[in-house]
């Protein structure tokens, strides 16, 4: 695809703009901002990746991963700002997920240690981990608030903080990971995954594309479960003090 | 309070603040062992907060609390909460059956309540034995309250804190619970500290009473004090002017 054909793709931006104008939906400003931002951001990333790929320097790869983790942390921490030390908990979660998955991929030579593989896969892993973190934190904070009576009941009967928060923790872990598991059950039946579609359009062998997509799906499965569990078990102790008391103001927005 | 009676709980200059608001102000006093002491006072007097401090669910801002002459911070929190049981007006239950709720205190210790013991507890609190496997959703307010007390008793507490446990019940259930509390007190010698808004209940069932107003203990003594309070604020409260 060249820039001329790409510019023709702007027709697909014009259609919603015209419809919005005609129906007075007032979506024009946001549509233009979204379109301009995607053009700038993706082109910048494209050129940056080109540079990193050409340089073939591990330091650049590392820097890219660090940038991804920083951006994901910045995005997810807003949802969990009521939990003490959430920034470092998120950073640690993303680092563990990245090291675990890339360790297996590179260690078992499933993917080659080149930036073309490491960077896009890291992006998918960290991005997915970020979404899972947001889903988990959203659910966990509301579970804790909604079931405060139950938490205090268990504490008052001589339960430990872990016992007192167990139900809320498990519910939140399940609730945040179920969409990933469910979506994988119907994958390929309704829509083809984006990465696989991209590879097929770019001329790759469909079976090869499917194999790669499966790898990514399984990675995402691990990422989802590990992210929720790790974040959950790091978060709940901060809600209690050393006297096993539920510290309410640690949960305040 | 008579000096000859042993103290189950002693408070020394206890203050408690939450959300920037002073809830308890320099509360000092004691609750005698094996007796029923009622805690009366208008809403917002800090009575429930006092319970949460004694049970160790909240931390005092300053001052000291002793349970059986031992500072509560010298107890492991789990030990303290098993020793000082608490039953609340809300009678919060975990989802599941009556048995699931009864066995909860032991389950938290990795044990299971024996069926015979569970039936014995139901009998003690005046609940029919055939409700053991019933879902707690099917229980009435009075049944939940009795179950809540039975569940607290599983830990064999020496002190029982009862927070408005009859407030939302009909007259018959209320009477049942009153009889139950007296029965437990007599049978096990459990120290009872009972928050109630029902002054008649306080006069009839309590050995002693504390009157709390706006975070302060304004008068303590034998329950008969409610018939003729010496403090002007208490007099107004008893007359229903507060």
């Amino acid at each position: 695809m060249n820039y001329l054909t790409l510019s023709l793709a702007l027709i697909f931006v014009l259609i919603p703009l015209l419809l919005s104008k005609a129906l007075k939906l007032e979506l024009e400003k946001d549509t233009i901002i979204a379109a301009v931002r995607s053009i700038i951001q993706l082109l910048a990333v494209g050129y940056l990746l080109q540079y990193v790929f050409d340089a073939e320097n591990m330091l650049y790869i590392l820097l890219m991963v660090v940038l991804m983790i920083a951006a994901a942390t910045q995005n997810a921490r807003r949802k969990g700002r009521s939990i003490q030390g959430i920034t470092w908990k998120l950073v640690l979660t993303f680092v563990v997920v990245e090291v675990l998955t890339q360790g297996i991929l590179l260690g078992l030579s499933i993917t080659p240690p080149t930036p073309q593989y490491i960077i896009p896969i890291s992006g998918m892993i960290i991005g997915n981990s970020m979404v899972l973190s947001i889903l988990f934190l959203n659910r966990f904070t509301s579970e804790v608030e909604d079931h405060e009576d139950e938490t205090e009941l268990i504490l008052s009967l001589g339960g430990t903080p872990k016992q007192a928060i167990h139900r809320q923790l498990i519910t939140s872990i399940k609730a945040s990971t179920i969409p990933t598991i469910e979506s994988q059950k119907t994958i390929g039946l309704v829509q083809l995954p984006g990465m696989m579609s991209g590879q097929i359009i770019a001329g790759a062998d469909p079976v090869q594309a499917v194999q790669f997509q499966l790898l990514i799906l399984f990675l995402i499965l691990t990422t989802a479960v590990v992210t929720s569990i790790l974040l959950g078990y790091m978060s709940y102790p901060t809600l209690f003090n050393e006297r096993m008391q539920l510290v309410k103001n640690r949960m305040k927005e | 309070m008579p000096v000859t009676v042993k103290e189950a709980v002693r408070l020394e200059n206890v203050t408690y603040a939450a959300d920037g608001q002073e809830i308890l102000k320099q509360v000092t006093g004691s609750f005698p062992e094996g007796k029923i002491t009622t805690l009366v006072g208008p809403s917002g007097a800090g009575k429930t907060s006092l319970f949460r401090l004694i049970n160790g669910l909240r931390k005092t801002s300053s001052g000291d609390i002793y349970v059986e002459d031992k500072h509560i911070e010298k107890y492991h929190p789990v030990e303290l909460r098993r020793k000082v049981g608490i039953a609340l007006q809300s009678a919060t239950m975990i989802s599941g059956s009556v048995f699931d709720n009864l066995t909860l205190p032991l389950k938290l210790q990795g044990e299971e309540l024996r069926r015979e013991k569970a039936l014995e507890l139901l009998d003690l609190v005046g609940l029919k034995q055939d409700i053991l496997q019933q879902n707690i959703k099917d229980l009435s307010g009075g049944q939940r309250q009795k179950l809540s007390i039975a569940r607290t008793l599983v830990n064999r507490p020496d002190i029982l804190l009862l927070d408005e446990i009859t407030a939302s019940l009909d007259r018959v259930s209320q009477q049942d619970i009153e009889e139950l509390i007296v029965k437990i007190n007599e049978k096990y010698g459990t120290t009872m500290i009972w928050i109630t808004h029902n002054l008649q209940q306080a006069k009839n069932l309590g050995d002693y009473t504390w009157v709390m107003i706006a975070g302060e203990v304004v008068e303590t003594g034998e329950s008969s004090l409610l018939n003729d309070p010496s403090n002007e604020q208490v007099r107004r409260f008893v007359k229903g002017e507060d």
Side-chain angles (χ1 to χ4, degrees):
Chain A
M1 189 184 271
N2 55 36
Y3 282 106
L4 179 68
T5 46
L6 181 64
S7 61
L8 288 174
L10 286 173
I11 293 170
F12 297 113
V13 178
L14 277 176
I15 293 172
L17 275 178
L18 293 172
L19 284 172
S20 171
K21 187 92 181 152
L23 296 171
K24 294 191 171 70
L25 299 176
E26 293 180 356
L27 292 172
E28 300 94 292
K29 193 182 160 195
D30 282 333
T31 310
I32 292 169
I33 290 174
V36 172
R37 276 190 66 162
S38 12
I39 293 168
I40 295 170
Q41 283 165 202
L42 284 180
L43 281 177
V45 168
Y47 283 114
L48 186 64
L49 285 178
Q50 185 74 56
Y51 179 75
V52 174
F53 290 176
D54 292 344
E56 283 191 351
N57 188 332
M58 268 321 230
L59 195 70
Y60 289 148
I61 300 177
L62 198 68
L63 202 65
M64 285 290 286
V65 172
V66 168
L67 276 175
M68 286 175 192
I69 291 176
T73 305
Q74 180 61 26
N75 211 2
R77 67 192 285 267
R78 273 174 282 169
K79 287 287 170 197
R81 63 178 180 268
S82 53
I83 294 168
Q84 232 177 33
I86 191 63
T87 305
W88 292 111
K89 289 180 174 65
L90 284 165
V91 169
L92 190 63
T93 303
F94 298 145
V95 168
V96 168
V97 167
E98 169 73 3
V99 169
L100 176 75
T101 49
Q102 289 291 0
I104 294 170
L105 289 174
L106 300 175
L108 298 176
S109 300
I110 300 170
T111 54
T114 57
Q116 282 88 339
Y117 283 88
I118 297 174
I119 293 172
I121 291 175
S122 295
M124 282 186 266
I125 291 166
I126 296 166
N128 187 65
S129 188
M130 176 191 78
V131 173
L132 254 295
S133 303
I134 292 171
L135 284 176
F136 172 81
L137 291 170
N138 247 345
R139 183 62 185 251
F140 186 58
T141 45
S142 64
E143 279 287 322
V144 172
E145 279 168 11
D146 295 348
H147 298 280
E148 196 187 305
D149 282 0
E150 212 175 292
T151 306
E152 290 223 313
L153 166 75
I154 293 173
L155 290 176
S156 76
L157 290 171
T160 60
K162 191 178 174 185
Q163 288 170 323
I165 210 81
H166 182 259
R167 201 186 71 85
Q168 293 88 313
L169 191 59
I170 296 301
T171 306
S172 311
I173 291 173
K174 275 167 98 172
S176 55
T177 51
I178 280 173
T180 304
I181 298 168
E182 286 301 315
S183 71
Q184 295 198 2
K185 284 185 188 166
T186 56
I187 203 150
L189 296 178
V190 183
Q191 59 172 22
L192 296 176
M195 192 200 77
M196 194 176 104
S197 308
Q199 274 191 302
I200 294 171
I201 291 168
D205 171 13
V207 177
Q208 186 83 36
V210 166
Q211 285 173 343
F212 241 95
Q213 186 61 52
L214 282 173
L215 169 73
I216 298 302
L217 285 182
F218 298 153
L219 272 180
I220 284 174
L221 201 61
T222 290
T223 306
V225 178
V226 173
T227 298
S228 295
I229 293 175
L230 210 59
L231 205 52
Y233 280 87
M234 281 195 291
S235 299
Y236 90 80
T238 60
L239 304 178
F240 301 88
N241 64 15
E242 71 292 347
R243 293 293 298 168
M244 296 186 177
Q245 292 158 337
L246 182 65
V247 187
K248 276 186 164 183
N249 55 15
R250 288 189 185 169
M251 274 309 293
K252 284 217 174 107
E253 288 286 335
Chain B
M1 304 266 159
V3 281
T4 48
V5 180
K6 216 175 151 196
E7 293 164 338
V9 179
R10 190 170 80 250
L11 301 117
E12 290 178 3
N13 302 313
V14 171
T15 57
Y16 175 62
D19 298 326
Q21 208 185 341
E22 202 174 24
I23 296 169
L24 292 171
K25 300 165 193 166
Q26 298 286 325
V27 173
T28 295
S30 62
F31 296 99
E33 196 174 81
K35 302 287 178 189
I36 301 176
T37 306
T38 56
L39 222 60
V40 298
S43 303
K47 305 184 293 289
T48 302
S49 296
L50 188 66
F51 270 14
R52 287 171 188 273
L53 295 178
I54 298 172
N55 180 256
L57 283 175
R58 296 277 184 276
K59 199 174 164 57
T60 56
S61 303
S62 67
D64 301 292
I65 301 175
Y66 298 86
V67 167
E68 292 176 356
D69 285 330
K70 185 171 160 183
H71 199 287
I72 55 166
E73 288 191 0
K74 298 268 187 245
Y75 285 96
H76 186 277
V78 169
E79 187 196 354
L80 176 70
R81 288 167 195 166
R82 286 186 186 146
K83 197 174 188 59
V84 185
I86 189 166
L88 303 169
Q89 183 189 355
S90 56
T92 306
M93 297 284 147
I94 57 159
S95 54
S97 67
V98 167
F99 181 77
D100 292 335
N101 275 277
L102 269 181
T103 196
L104 181 63
L106 283 185
K107 204 176 164 192
L108 296 171
Q109 301 173 53
E111 295 168 29
E112 185 92 341
L113 187 69
R114 283 182 300 110
R115 190 183 146 81
E116 306 84 75
K117 182 69 193 164
L119 294 174
E120 195 185 302
L121 278 163
L122 289 183
D123 203 40
L124 174 76
V125 298
L127 286 171
K128 286 186 181 155
Q129 295 192 341
D130 58 9
I131 68 159
L132 192 62
Q133 294 307 329
Q134 207 168 306
N135 193 302
I136 54 113
K137 283 181 192 160
D138 302 328
L139 300 189
S140 68
Q143 285 175 313
R144 285 170 82 105
Q145 203 53 262
K146 287 176 184 173
L147 180 62
S148 164
I149 295 167
R151 186 178 56 192
T152 311
L153 291 176
V154 172
N155 277 335
R156 295 177 171 275
D158 294 327
I159 300 157
L160 202 48
L161 310 176
L162 309 163
D163 188 359
E164 300 264 24
I165 53 167
T166 60
S168 53
L169 304 182
D170 59 65
R171 186 60 217 147
V172 177
S173 305
Q174 199 173 315
Q175 227 161 0
D176 282 352
I177 301 274
E178 287 171 356
E179 284 167 16
L180 170 64
I181 297 307
V182 174
K183 188 161 105 182
I184 295 168
N185 172 252
E186 286 171 356
K187 189 171 178 181
Y188 301 108
T190 313
T191 304
M192 304 281 185
I193 309 174
W194 190 350
I195 295 176
T196 178
H197 69 279
N198 184 337
L199 293 181
Q200 207 53 46
Q201 200 173 51
K203 284 184 219 170
N204 294 344
L205 304 170
D207 297 302
Y208 300 101
T209 199
W210 277 34
V211 186
M212 289 184 70
I213 295 172
E216 286 177 284
V217 179
V218 285
E219 198 160 0
T220 63
E222 291 188 5
S223 295
S224 54
L225 81 82
L226 294 170
N227 293 323
D228 185 23
S230 57
N231 182 291
E232 185 48 38
Q233 271 181 295
V234 180
R235 197 186 294 274
R236 284 214 307 271
F237 166 68
V238 169
K239 279 185 182 168
E241 292 169 12
D242 245 345

